[in-house]
Amino acid sequence: MLAYIKGKLEMKMTGYIVIDVGGLGYKIYMSDVGIEKLGNLGETVKVHTYYKVREDDISIFGFNTLEELKMFELLIGVSGVGAKTALTMLATCEPSEFALAVISEDIKTLTRNTRNRSKISTKNNIRIKRQNK
């Protein structure tokens, strides 16, 4: 629904930013690493977005690159991996490093710095490979 949001960076908080677009502030959840890579407050920034709509929640997740967005979409497609886990994983490796880890079945790389390591297993690794073809 929203491919990207471009506007003035108003706030940088832990876990999210706020971008002002025509007087409307969009709260966008991002990894802290992604937030660090954005410009300074007051600058115009462009963030690729994933718009999540659930019965009890509407959230926008932001990414610096299309590759990060695609990695996020791939991760949340795996059973047991939610948006917060996917953001944590994005903070630990670049999309190219992630792709290499999937191909080589490097579970250690896929689960480093992830609070809930059991969510990424060999079984889920195989699912990621299938989805990535």
Side-chain angles (χ1 to χ4, degrees):
M1 181 173 199
L2 299 173
Y4 65 86
I5 295 176
K6 183 177 181 179
K8 187 170 94 175
L9 184 59
E10 287 290 326
M11 275 195 262
K12 281 183 165 183
M13 306 299 287
T14 302
Y16 71 91
I17 61 169
V18 175
I19 296 179
D20 180 286
V21 180
L24 182 62
Y26 289 92
K27 182 178 184 178
I28 303 168
Y29 295 98
M30 294 183 74
S31 70
D32 290 335
V33 173
I35 292 171
E36 288 175 19
K37 292 179 183 177
L38 283 176
N40 297 316
L41 294 178
E43 292 181 351
T44 298
V45 296
K46 179 179 176 180
V47 177
H48 301 277
T49 58
Y50 178 84
Y51 191 70
K52 180 181 122 183
V53 178
R54 299 286 184 262
E55 185 175 312
D56 60 343
D57 178 50
I58 297 175
S59 300
I60 303 172
F61 294 89
F63 310 93
N64 293 313
T65 66
L66 283 173
E67 290 77 19
E68 290 175 356
L69 171 59
K70 289 177 184 178
M71 179 176 155
F72 177 82
E73 290 174 331
L74 187 63
L75 286 168
I76 62 172
V78 174
S79 177
V81 178
K84 301 229 188 241
T85 300
L87 280 181
T88 301
M89 292 179 72
L90 279 170
T92 64
C93 65
E94 295 294 319
S96 58
E97 184 183 2
F98 172 78
L100 183 60
V102 169
I103 291 166
S104 64
E105 297 185 15
D106 182 358
I107 301 301
K108 186 176 181 180
T109 298
L110 293 172
T111 60
R112 73 175 172 218
N113 296 331
T114 302
R115 283 184 229 144
N116 201 346
R117 293 180 188 274
S118 65
K119 288 186 178 180
I120 299 295
S121 64
T122 302
K123 181 178 175 184
N124 284 338
N125 190 17
I126 292 166
R127 286 184 193 156
I128 291 171
K129 276 186 178 179
R130 286 183 190 145
Q131 289 176 352
N132 206 20
K133 286 186 177 180

